[in-house]
């Protein structure tokens, strides 16, 4: 879609990218999400939090913990606020992959961004800790 728009000399905006990223998430095409983010930034489309959060969700749902954690870090670098759902998706992907240190990193980042954990966050955090017996 984005390539076709470029060929037609139409410039995709944040709404276009958000829609395509959401479609990739629904179709479990997380691989295309990173490309879309790079393309959106290169196009200076002014990608908003919805685009970034959709991308983190797509990677998290695809069990791509490395990508979801990396995207949350990039969001902080470009000063885009991560959503609770995006953080939960990243933590859950880390839990499923036994990447407990990275999941804890996201959890600490949530606290730094003043995002209050919910039941999903707590359950995933418990899963992270129980996987490596990191009980206090």
């Amino acid at each position: 879609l984005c390539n076709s728009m470029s060929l037609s000399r139409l410039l995709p905006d944040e709404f276009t990218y958000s829609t395509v990223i959401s479609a990739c998430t629904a179709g479990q095409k997380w691989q295309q999400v990173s490309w879309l983010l790079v393309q959106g930034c290169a196009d200076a489309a002014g990608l908003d939090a919805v685009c970034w959060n959709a991308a983190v969700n797509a990677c998290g749902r695809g069990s791509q913990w490395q990508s979801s954690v990396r995207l949350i870090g990039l969001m902080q670098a470009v000063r885009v606020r991560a959503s609770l759902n995006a953080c939960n998706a990243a933590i859950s992907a880390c839990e499923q992959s036994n990447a407990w240190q990275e999941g804890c990193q996201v959890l600490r980042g949530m606290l730094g961004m003043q995002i209050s954990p919910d039941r999903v966050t707590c359950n995933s955090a418990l899963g992270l800790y129980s996987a490596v017996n990191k009980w206090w």
Side-chain angles (χ1 to χ4, degrees), residues 49 53 56-57 71-73 75-76 79-91 103-122 125:
N53 285 309
V56 173
N57 282 324
L71 288 174
I72 287 180
M75 290 175 75
Q76 290 175 321
R79 302 198 192 294
V80 174
R81 183 173 169 81
S83 71
L84 174 61
N85 289 337
C87 292
N88 284 343
I91 293 169
C104 291
Q105 175 187 347
V106 175
L107 187 58
R108 280 190 300 274
M110 285 178 65
L111 300 175
M113 292 182 280
Q114 298 179 343
I115 299 172
S116 297
D118 65 359
R119 184 177 301 165
V120 174
T121 314
C122 294

Side-chain angles (χ1 to χ4, degrees), residues 1-13 16-17 39 43 45:
L1 176 64
C2 294
N3 286 338
S4 297
M5 289 181 73
S6 295
L7 293 174
S8 300
R9 299 186 195 272
L10 297 172
L11 296 176
D13 59 10
T16 307
Y17 283 105
Q39 191 64 38
D43 288 348

Side-chain angles (χ1 to χ4, degrees), residues 36-96:
L36 285 166
L37 279 177
V38 169
Q39 191 64 38
C41 290
D43 288 348
L47 299 182
D48 60 5
V50 173
C51 294
W52 284 94
N53 285 309
V56 173
N57 282 324
C59 293
R61 289 183 185 156
S63 296
Q64 300 302 309
W65 67 267
Q66 300 98 330
S67 297
S68 61
V69 170
R70 188 176 322 115
L71 288 174
I72 287 180
L74 286 171
M75 290 175 75
Q76 290 175 321
V78 297
R79 302 198 192 294
V80 174
R81 183 173 169 81
S83 71
L84 174 61
N85 289 337
C87 292
N88 284 343
I91 293 169
S92 179
C94 290
E95 176 194 6
Q96 293 168 10

